[in-house]
């Protein structure tokens, strides 16, 4: 079984997934439970972080120690892959690479405000990684200058992730006339880059090519069952008993 945790980054994942089981953004315990259900390949794109406990590094190590192929990209998955790639987690895409190489350090660069699953994970803000990718594309096409791109990127970074939209960014851009502002807006309609989506699609493509088996390769490290780990396992075992499901 292959399982992908995804939400607002790729709202149409279900139509692209084939035989891959698509679940919502991962929170703490979800990867552990997927391993217990027999998953051989697990992909993480989106994950909860603000009002729920995020995916725990320990459960990622548990999955890897059980022979599960674990991949991450685009959002929470890129963060965890950059943090755990030395243990065998596979990162996919530009955003992962930027975190792995130290070109990005702030987790909020991938954060995004969005609606619920019932509304198709409607995007309500612009993640900084998409802003940066778009500005790079605009510079390459000579739509904006390097100095304009630097100013726009700095403005975007200064805005809280829930409030960051292209409108809010451009409203704070001083020193240009309305004609110039309108030309940038027009360019954004046609040239905006959704790097998170592109990386998520790339991860889905990699997952589709992987064998649905757990390899038996020997690891160079050993998973340690700590007290906190045992408490988490106990908690999620209780939650999965009949009568405790929500």
């Amino acid at each position: 079984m292959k399982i992908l945790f995804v939400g607002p980054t790729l709202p149409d994942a279900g139509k692209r997934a084939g035989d891959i089981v698509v679940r919502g953004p991962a929170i703490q315990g979800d990867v552990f439970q997927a391993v217990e259900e027999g998953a051989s390949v697990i992909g993480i794109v989106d994950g909860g972080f603000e009002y729920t406990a995020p995916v725990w590094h320990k459960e990622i190590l548990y999955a890897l120690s059980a022979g599960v192929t674990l991949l991450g990209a685009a959002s929470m998955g890129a963060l965890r892959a950059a943090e755990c790639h030395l243990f065998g987690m596979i990162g996919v895409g530009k955003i992962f690479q930027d975190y792995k190489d130290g070109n990005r350090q702030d987790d909020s660069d991938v954060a995004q405000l969005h609606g619920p699953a019932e509304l198709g994970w409607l995007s309500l803000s612009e993640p900084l990684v998409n802003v940066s990718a778009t500005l790079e594309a605009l510079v390459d096409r000579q739509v904006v200058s390097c100095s304009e791109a630097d100013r726009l990127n700095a403005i975007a970074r200064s805005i809280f992730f829930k409030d960051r939209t292209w409108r809010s960014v451009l409203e704070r851009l001083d020193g240009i006339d309305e004609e110039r502002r309108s030309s940038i807006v027009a360019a954004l309609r046609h040239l905006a880059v959704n790097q998170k989506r592109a990386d998520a699609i790339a991860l889905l493509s990699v997952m589709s090519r992987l064998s649905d088996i757990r390899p038996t390769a020997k690891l160079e490290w050993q998973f340690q069952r700590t007290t906190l780990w045992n408490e988490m396992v106990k908690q999620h075992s209780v939650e999965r008993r009949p009568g405790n499901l929500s």
Side-chain angles (χ1 to χ4, degrees):
M1 176 170 56
K2 301 178 183 180
I3 297 177
L4 174 65
F5 292 100
V6 66
T9 296
L10 192 64
D12 57 339
K15 299 177 181 179
R16 296 170 169 270
D19 62 349
I20 299 172
V21 177
V22 175
R23 297 182 179 173
I27 61 175
Q28 188 176 106
D30 284 348
V31 169
F32 164 71
Q33 290 188 1
V35 174
E36 297 302 284
E37 291 170 20
S40 58
V41 179
I42 298 174
I44 304 173
V45 171
D46 293 311
F49 66 95
E50 189 172 25
Y51 303 111
T52 58
V55 174
W56 194 13
H57 302 81
K58 192 76 174 179
E59 59 187 305
I60 289 174
L61 297 181
Y62 175 71
L64 294 170
S65 72
V68 175
T69 301
L70 195 58
L71 307 94
S75 194
M76 178 65 75
L79 298 176
R80 291 295 181 262
E83 294 157 349
C84 299
H85 74 279
L86 292 177
F87 296 93
M89 187 172 180
I90 300 170
V92 177
K94 183 179 186 302
I95 296 170
F96 155 74
Q97 198 65 45
D98 281 347
Y99 278 110
K100 176 179 175 293
D101 293 344
N103 296 325
R104 290 189 182 277
Q105 293 87 32
D106 197 332
D107 291 3
S108 68
D109 286 7
V110 296
Q112 183 174 19
L113 182 66
H114 58 81
E118 292 77 9
L119 295 179
W121 304 108
L122 179 66
S123 175
L124 299 173
S125 72
E126 197 69 34
L128 191 63
V129 289
N130 285 356
V131 172
S132 299
T134 296
L135 291 174
E136 288 176 11
L138 295 183
V139 169
D140 287 344
R141 291 173 176 263
Q142 299 183 335
V143 175
V144 301
S145 66
C146 291
S147 61
E148 284 176 326
D150 289 343
R151 288 169 59 198
L152 287 165
N153 198 59
I155 292 169
R157 181 171 289 282
S158 72
I159 300 173
F160 182 51
F161 82 88
K162 291 185 179 181
D163 301 323
R164 186 190 300 119
T165 62
W166 279 113
R167 178 187 293 275
S168 68
V169 172
L170 290 170
E171 284 176 347
R172 291 167 170 79
L173 181 62
D174 299 324
I176 64 170
D177 57 35
E178 288 307 310
E179 182 178 355
R180 179 62 180 143
R181 196 185 308 273
S182 296
S183 70
I184 295 175
V185 171
L188 287 172
R189 293 194 184 101
H190 301 288
L191 300 175
V193 176
N194 191 333
Q195 191 63 53
K196 289 182 70 173
R197 178 178 175 82
D199 286 4
I201 291 173
L203 179 140
L204 194 56
S205 177
V206 173
M207 286 185 67
S208 68
R209 297 194 299 269
L210 292 173
S211 299
D212 194 2
I213 58 172
R214 292 187 182 182
T216 57
K218 186 176 180 180
L219 299 173
E220 296 180 354
W221 51 272
Q222 186 175 4
F223 181 78
Q224 301 294 325
R225 295 177 179 271
T226 62
T227 300
L228 284 176
W229 172 257
N230 292 333
E231 289 178 356
M232 193 277 287
V233 170
K234 181 178 179 180
Q235 174 188 342
H236 285 278
S237 297
V238 169
E239 289 176 353
R240 295 178 64 190
R241 291 175 187 167
N244 288 285
L245 301 177
S246 59

